[in-house]
Coordinates of all heavy atoms in Angstrom, one line a residue:
N49 N 5.9 2.4 1.4 CA 6.4 1.5 0.5 C 7.9 1.3 0.7 O 8.7 2.3 0.5 CB 6.1 1.9 -1.0 CG 6.5 0.9 -2.0 OD1 7.5 0.2 -1.9 ND2 5.8 0.9 -3.1
P50 N 8.4 0.2 1.1 CA 9.9 0.0 1.4 C 10.8 0.1 0.2 O 12.0 0.3 0.4 CB 9.9 -1.4 2.0 CG 8.7 -2.1 1.5 CD 7.7 -1.1 1.3
Q51 N 10.2 0.1 -1.0 CA 11.1 0.4 -2.2 C 11.5 1.8 -2.3 O 12.5 2.2 -2.9 CB 10.4 -0.1 -3.5 CG 10.4 -1.6 -3.6 CD 9.9 -2.0 -5.0 OE1 8.9 -1.4 -5.5 NE2 10.5 -3.0 -5.5
F52 N 10.6 2.7 -1.7 CA 10.9 4.1 -1.8 C 11.2 4.7 -0.4 O 11.7 5.9 -0.3 CB 9.6 4.9 -2.3 CG 9.4 4.5 -3.7 CD1 8.5 3.4 -4.0 CD2 10.0 5.1 -4.8 CE1 8.2 3.0 -5.3 CE2 9.8 4.7 -6.1 CZ 8.9 3.7 -6.4
N53 N 11.0 4.0 0.7 CA 11.3 4.5 2.0 C 12.2 3.5 2.7 O 11.8 2.5 3.2 CB 10.0 4.6 2.8 CG 10.2 5.2 4.2 OD1 11.3 5.3 4.7 ND2 9.1 5.5 4.9
W54 N 13.5 3.8 2.6 CA 14.5 2.8 3.1 C 14.4 2.5 4.6 O 14.9 1.5 5.0 CB 15.9 3.4 2.7 CG 16.4 4.5 3.5 CD1 16.2 5.9 3.2 CD2 17.1 4.5 4.8 NE1 16.7 6.7 4.2 CE2 17.3 5.9 5.2 CE3 17.6 3.5 5.6 CZ2 17.9 6.2 6.3 CZ3 18.2 3.9 6.7 CH2 18.4 5.2 7.1
H55 N 13.8 3.4 5.3 CA 13.7 3.2 6.8 C 12.8 1.9 7.0 O 13.0 1.3 8.1 CB 13.0 4.4 7.5 CG 13.8 5.6 7.5 ND1 14.9 5.8 8.3 CD2 13.7 6.7 6.7 CE1 15.4 6.9 8.1 NE2 14.7 7.6 7.1
L56 N 11.9 1.6 6.1 CA 11.1 0.4 6.3 C 11.6 -0.9 5.7 O 11.0 -1.9 5.8 CB 9.7 0.7 5.6 CG 8.9 1.9 6.0 CD1 7.7 2.1 5.2 CD2 8.6 1.8 7.5
N57 N 12.7 -0.8 5.0 CA 13.3 -1.9 4.3 C 14.4 -2.6 5.0 O 15.5 -2.0 5.2 CB 13.7 -1.5 2.9 CG 14.0 -2.6 2.0 OD1 14.5 -3.7 2.4 ND2 13.8 -2.4 0.7
P58 N 14.2 -3.8 5.5 CA 15.3 -4.5 6.3 C 16.6 -4.7 5.5 O 17.6 -5.0 6.0 CB 14.7 -5.8 6.8 CG 13.5 -6.0 5.9 CD 13.1 -4.7 5.4
Y59 N 16.5 -4.7 4.1 CA 17.7 -4.9 3.3 C 18.4 -3.6 3.1 O 19.6 -3.6 2.7 CB 17.3 -5.4 1.9 CG 16.7 -6.8 2.1 CD1 15.3 -7.1 2.1 CD2 17.5 -7.9 2.3 CE1 14.8 -8.3 2.3 CE2 17.0 -9.2 2.4 CZ 15.7 -9.4 2.4 OH 15.2 -10.7 2.6
S60 N 17.8 -2.5 3.5 CA 18.5 -1.2 3.4 C 18.8 -0.6 4.8 O 19.5 0.4 4.9 CB 17.6 -0.2 2.6 OG 17.3 -0.6 1.4
N61 N 18.1 -1.1 5.8 CA 18.2 -0.5 7.2 C 18.7 -1.6 8.1 O 17.9 -2.5 8.5 CB 16.9 0.0 7.6 CG 16.9 0.7 8.9 OD1 17.8 0.6 9.7 ND2 15.8 1.4 9.2
A62 N 19.9 -1.6 8.5 CA 20.5 -2.7 9.4 C 19.8 -2.8 10.7 O 19.7 -3.8 11.3 CB 22.0 -2.4 9.6
A63 N 19.2 -1.7 11.2 CA 18.5 -1.7 12.5 C 17.3 -2.6 12.5 O 16.9 -3.1 13.6 CB 18.1 -0.3 12.9
I64 N 16.7 -2.8 11.4 CA 15.5 -3.7 11.3 C 15.8 -5.0 10.6 O 14.8 -5.7 10.2 CB 14.3 -2.9 10.7 CG1 14.6 -2.5 9.3 CG2 13.9 -1.8 11.6 CD1 13.3 -1.9 8.6
N65 N 17.0 -5.3 10.4 CA 17.4 -6.5 9.7 C 17.9 -7.6 10.8 O 18.8 -7.3 11.5 CB 18.6 -6.3 8.7 CG 18.9 -7.5 7.9 OD1 19.1 -8.6 8.4 ND2 19.0 -7.3 6.6
P66 N 17.2 -8.7 10.8 CA 17.6 -9.7 11.9 C 19.0 -10.3 11.7 O 19.5 -10.8 12.7 CB 16.5 -10.8 11.8 CG 15.9 -10.6 10.4 CD 16.1 -9.2 10.0
G67 N 19.5 -10.1 10.5 CA 20.9 -10.6 10.3 C 21.9 -9.6 11.0 O 23.0 -10.0 11.3
S68 N 21.5 -8.4 11.2 CA 22.4 -7.3 11.8 C 22.0 -7.0 13.2 O 22.8 -6.4 13.9 CB 22.3 -6.1 10.9 OG 22.6 -6.3 9.6
N69 N 20.8 -7.3 13.6 CA 20.3 -6.8 14.9 C 19.8 -8.1 15.7 O 18.8 -8.6 15.5 CB 19.1 -5.9 14.7 CG 18.6 -5.3 16.0 OD1 18.9 -5.8 17.1 ND2 17.8 -4.2 15.9
A70 N 20.7 -8.4 16.7 CA 20.4 -9.6 17.5 C 19.1 -9.5 18.3 O 18.5 -10.6 18.6 CB 21.6 -9.9 18.4
L71 N 18.7 -8.3 18.7 CA 17.5 -8.2 19.5 C 16.2 -8.7 18.7 O 15.2 -9.1 19.4 CB 17.3 -6.7 19.9 CG 18.3 -6.2 20.9 CD1 18.1 -4.7 21.1 CD2 18.2 -7.0 22.2
I72 N 16.2 -8.6 17.4 CA 15.1 -9.0 16.6 C 15.3 -10.3 15.9 O 14.6 -10.7 15.0 CB 14.6 -7.9 15.6 CG1 15.7 -7.5 14.7 CG2 14.1 -6.7 16.4 CD1 15.3 -6.6 13.6
N73 N 16.3 -11.1 16.3 CA 16.7 -12.3 15.7 C 16.3 -13.5 16.7 O 17.0 -13.6 17.7 CB 18.1 -12.4 15.3 CG 18.5 -13.6 14.6 OD1 17.9 -14.7 14.7 ND2 19.5 -13.5 13.7
P74 N 15.3 -14.2 16.4 CA 14.9 -15.3 17.4 C 15.9 -16.4 17.6 O 15.8 -17.1 18.6 CB 13.6 -15.8 16.8 CG 13.6 -15.5 15.4 CD 14.4 -14.2 15.2
K75 N 16.8 -16.5 16.7 CA 17.9 -17.5 17.0 C 18.9 -17.0 18.1 O 19.5 -17.8 18.7 CB 18.7 -17.8 15.7 CG 17.9 -18.7 14.8 CD 18.8 -19.0 13.6 CE 18.1 -20.1 12.8 NZ 19.0 -20.6 11.7
L76 N 18.9 -15.7 18.2 CA 19.9 -15.1 19.2 C 19.2 -14.5 20.4 O 19.8 -14.2 21.4 CB 20.7 -14.0 18.5 CG 21.5 -14.4 17.3 CD1 22.1 -13.3 16.6 CD2 22.5 -15.5 17.7
N77 N 17.9 -14.3 20.3 CA 17.1 -13.7 21.4 C 15.9 -14.7 21.7 O 14.9 -14.6 21.0 CB 16.6 -12.3 21.0 CG 15.8 -11.7 22.1 OD1 15.5 -12.3 23.2 ND2 15.4 -10.5 21.9
T78 N 16.1 -15.6 22.7 CA 15.0 -16.6 22.9 C 13.8 -16.0 23.5 O 12.7 -16.7 23.5 CB 15.6 -17.7 23.8 OG1 16.1 -17.1 25.1 CG2 16.7 -18.5 23.2
K79 N 13.8 -14.8 24.0 CA 12.6 -14.2 24.5 C 11.5 -14.0 23.4 O 10.3 -13.9 23.7 CB 12.9 -12.8 25.2 CG 13.6 -12.9 26.5 CD 14.0 -11.6 27.0 CE 14.9 -11.7 28.3 NZ 15.2 -10.4 28.8
I80 N 11.9 -13.8 22.2 CA 11.0 -13.6 21.1 C 10.8 -14.8 20.2 O 10.2 -14.8 19.2 CB 11.5 -12.4 20.2 CG1 12.9 -12.6 19.6 CG2 11.4 -11.1 21.0 CD1 13.3 -11.7 18.5
N81 N 11.4 -16.0 20.7 CA 11.3 -17.2 20.0 C 10.2 -18.1 20.6 O 10.4 -18.6 21.7 CB 12.7 -17.9 20.0 CG 12.7 -19.1 19.1 OD1 11.8 -19.9 18.9 ND2 13.9 -19.3 18.4
P82 N 9.1 -18.4 19.8 CA 8.1 -19.3 20.4 C 8.5 -20.7 20.7 O 7.9 -21.3 21.5 CB 7.0 -19.3 19.3 CG 7.3 -18.1 18.4 CD 8.8 -17.9 18.5
H83 N 9.6 -21.1 20.2 CA 10.1 -22.5 20.5 C 10.8 -22.5 21.9 O 10.9 -23.6 22.5 CB 11.1 -23.0 19.4 CG 10.4 -23.2 18.1 ND1 10.5 -22.3 17.1 CD2 9.6 -24.1 17.7 CE1 9.8 -22.7 16.1 NE2 9.2 -23.9 16.4
Y84 N 11.2 -21.4 22.4 CA 11.9 -21.3 23.7 C 11.0 -20.6 24.7 O 11.1 -20.8 25.9 CB 13.2 -20.5 23.6 CG 14.2 -21.3 22.8 CD1 14.4 -21.0 21.4 CD2 15.0 -22.3 23.4 CE1 15.4 -21.8 20.7 CE2 15.9 -23.1 22.6 CZ 16.1 -22.8 21.3 OH 17.0 -23.5 20.6
N85 N 10.1 -19.7 24.3 CA 9.3 -19.0 25.2 C 7.9 -19.6 25.1 O 7.1 -19.4 24.2 CB 9.2 -17.5 24.7 CG 8.4 -16.6 25.7 OD1 7.6 -17.1 26.4 ND2 8.6 -15.3 25.6
E86 N 7.6 -20.4 26.2 CA 6.3 -21.1 26.2 C 5.1 -20.2 26.1 O 4.0 -20.6 25.6 CB 6.2 -22.0 27.5 CG 7.1 -23.1 27.4 CD 6.9 -24.2 28.5 OE1 5.7 -24.2 29.1 OE2 7.8 -25.0 28.7
L87 N 5.2 -19.0 26.6 CA 4.0 -18.0 26.5 C 3.7 -17.7 25.1 O 2.6 -17.2 24.8 CB 4.3 -16.8 27.3 CG 4.5 -17.0 28.8 CD1 4.9 -15.7 29.5 CD2 3.3 -17.6 29.5
L88 N 4.7 -17.8 24.2 CA 4.4 -17.5 22.7 C 4.2 -18.7 21.9 O 4.0 -18.6 20.7 CB 5.7 -16.8 22.2 CG 6.0 -15.4 22.8 CD1 7.3 -14.9 22.3 CD2 4.9 -14.4 22.5
N89 N 4.3 -19.9 22.5 CA 4.2 -21.1 21.7 C 2.7 -21.6 21.6 O 2.1 -22.0 22.6 CB 5.0 -22.2 22.3 CG 5.1 -23.4 21.4 OD1 4.2 -23.9 20.8 ND2 6.3 -24.0 21.3
P90 N 2.1 -21.5 20.4 CA 0.7 -21.9 20.3 C 0.4 -23.4 20.4 O -0.7 -23.9 20.6 CB 0.3 -21.5 18.9 CG 1.6 -21.5 18.1 CD 2.7 -21.1 19.1
L91 N 1.5 -24.2 20.4 CA 1.4 -25.7 20.7 C 1.3 -26.0 22.2 O 0.8 -27.0 22.6 CB 2.5 -26.4 20.0 CG 2.7 -26.2 18.5 CD1 3.9 -27.0 18.0 CD2 1.4 -26.6 17.8
R92 N 1.7 -25.0 23.0 CA 1.7 -25.2 24.4 C 0.6 -24.3 25.0 O 0.1 -24.6 26.1 CB 3.0 -24.8 25.0 CG 4.1 -25.8 24.6 CD 5.3 -25.7 25.5 NE 6.3 -26.7 25.2 CZ 7.4 -26.5 24.5 NH1 7.7 -25.3 24.1 NH2 8.2 -27.4 24.2
S93 N 0.2 -23.3 24.4 CA -0.9 -22.4 24.8 C -1.9 -22.2 23.8 O -1.8 -21.4 22.8 CB -0.3 -21.0 25.2 OG -1.3 -20.1 25.6
L94 N -2.9 -23.1 23.8 CA -4.0 -23.1 22.8 C -4.8 -21.9 22.7 O -5.4 -21.6 21.7 CB -4.9 -24.3 23.1 CG -4.3 -25.7 22.9 CD1 -5.3 -26.8 23.2 CD2 -3.6 -25.9 21.5
S95 N -4.7 -21.0 23.7 CA -5.5 -19.7 23.7 C -4.9 -18.8 22.6 O -5.5 -17.8 22.2 CB -5.4 -19.0 25.1 OG -4.1 -18.7 25.4
L96 N -3.7 -19.1 22.1 CA -3.1 -18.3 21.0 C -3.7 -18.7 19.6 O -3.5 -18.0 18.7 CB -1.6 -18.4 21.0 CG -0.9 -17.8 22.2 CD1 0.6 -18.2 22.2 CD2 -1.0 -16.3 22.2
N97 N -4.3 -19.8 19.6 CA -4.9 -20.3 18.3 C -6.2 -19.5 18.0 O -7.1 -19.6 18.8 CB -5.1 -21.8 18.3 CG -5.5 -22.3 16.9 OD1 -6.4 -21.8 16.3 ND2 -4.7 -23.3 16.5
P98 N -6.3 -18.8 16.9 CA -7.6 -18.0 16.6 C -8.8 -18.9 16.5 O -9.9 -18.4 16.7 CB -7.3 -17.3 15.3 CG -6.2 -18.2 14.7 CD -5.4 -18.8 15.8
L99 N -8.7 -20.1 16.2 CA -9.9 -21.0 16.1 C -10.3 -21.6 17.4 O -11.3 -22.2 17.5 CB -9.7 -22.1 15.0 CG -9.5 -21.5 13.6 CD1 -9.4 -22.7 12.6 CD2 -10.5 -20.5 13.2
M100 N -9.4 -21.5 18.4 CA -9.7 -22.0 19.7 C -10.0 -20.9 20.7 O -10.4 -21.2 21.9 CB -8.5 -22.8 20.2 CG -8.1 -23.9 19.3 SD -8.1 -25.5 20.0 CE -7.5 -26.5 18.7
N101 N -9.8 -19.7 20.3 CA -10.0 -18.6 21.3 C -10.8 -17.4 20.6 O -10.2 -16.8 19.7 CB -8.7 -18.1 21.8 CG -8.8 -16.9 22.7 OD1 -9.8 -16.4 23.0 ND2 -7.6 -16.4 23.2
G102 N -12.0 -17.2 20.9 CA -12.8 -16.2 20.3 C -12.3 -14.8 20.7 O -12.8 -13.8 20.1
N103 N -11.4 -14.6 21.6 CA -10.9 -13.3 22.1 C -9.5 -13.0 21.7 O -8.9 -12.1 22.3 CB -11.0 -13.2 23.6 CG -12.5 -13.3 24.1 OD1 -13.4 -12.8 23.5 ND2 -12.7 -14.1 25.1
W104 N -9.0 -13.7 20.6 CA -7.7 -13.4 20.2 C -7.5 -12.0 19.6 O -8.5 -11.4 19.2 CB -7.2 -14.4 19.1 CG -8.1 -14.4 17.9 CD1 -9.3 -15.0 17.6 CD2 -7.7 -13.7 16.7 NE1 -9.7 -14.7 16.4 CE2 -8.8 -13.9 15.8 CE3 -6.7 -12.9 16.3 CZ2 -8.8 -13.3 14.5 CZ3 -6.7 -12.3 15.0 CH2 -7.7 -12.6 14.1
L105 N -6.3 -11.5 19.7 CA -6.0 -10.2 19.2 C -5.0 -10.3 18.0 O -4.1 -11.1 18.1 CB -5.3 -9.3 20.3 CG -6.1 -9.1 21.6 CD1 -5.2 -8.4 22.6 CD2 -7.3 -8.2 21.2
G106 N -5.3 -9.6 17.0 CA -4.4 -9.6 15.8 C -5.2 -9.2 14.6 O -6.1 -8.4 14.6
Y107 N -4.7 -9.8 13.5 CA -5.2 -9.5 12.1 C -5.8 -10.7 11.4 O -5.4 -11.8 11.6 CB -4.0 -8.9 11.3 CG -3.3 -7.7 11.8 CD1 -2.2 -7.8 12.6 CD2 -3.8 -6.4 11.5 CE1 -1.6 -6.7 13.1 CE2 -3.2 -5.3 12.0 CZ -2.1 -5.4 12.7 OH -1.4 -4.3 13.2
Y108 N -6.6 -10.3 10.4 CA -7.1 -11.3 9.4 C -6.2 -11.0 8.2 O -6.1 -9.9 7.7 CB -8.5 -11.1 9.1 CG -9.5 -11.4 10.2 CD1 -9.9 -10.4 11.1 CD2 -10.0 -12.7 10.4 CE1 -10.7 -10.7 12.1 CE2 -10.9 -13.0 11.4 CZ -11.2 -12.0 12.3 OH -12.1 -12.3 13.3
L109 N -5.7 -12.1 7.5 CA -4.8 -11.9 6.4 C -5.7 -12.1 5.1 O -6.5 -13.1 5.0 CB -3.7 -13.0 6.4 CG -2.8 -13.0 5.2 CD1 -2.0 -11.7 5.1 CD2 -1.8 -14.2 5.3

Side-chain angles (χ1 to χ4, degrees):
N49 186 325
Q51 287 189 319
F52 297 95
N53 184 347
W54 70 271
H55 293 286
L56 302 176
N57 192 327
Y59 294 98
S60 302
N61 183 350
I64 61 172
N65 185 311
S68 305
N69 184 343
L71 293 175
I72 58 172
N73 186 331
K75 285 187 170 186
L76 303 173
N77 181 356
T78 57
K79 291 178 185 177
I80 59 170
N81 188 322
H83 294 104
Y84 294 96
N85 184 340
E86 288 192 19
L87 298 174
L88 297 174
N89 190 318
L91 302 177
R92 295 196 174 104
S93 179
L94 295 179
S95 66
L96 293 171
N97 188 306
L99 299 183
M100 306 236 180
N101 178 1
N103 295 319
W104 62 276
L105 298 173
Y107 299 96
Y108 294 89
L109 177 65

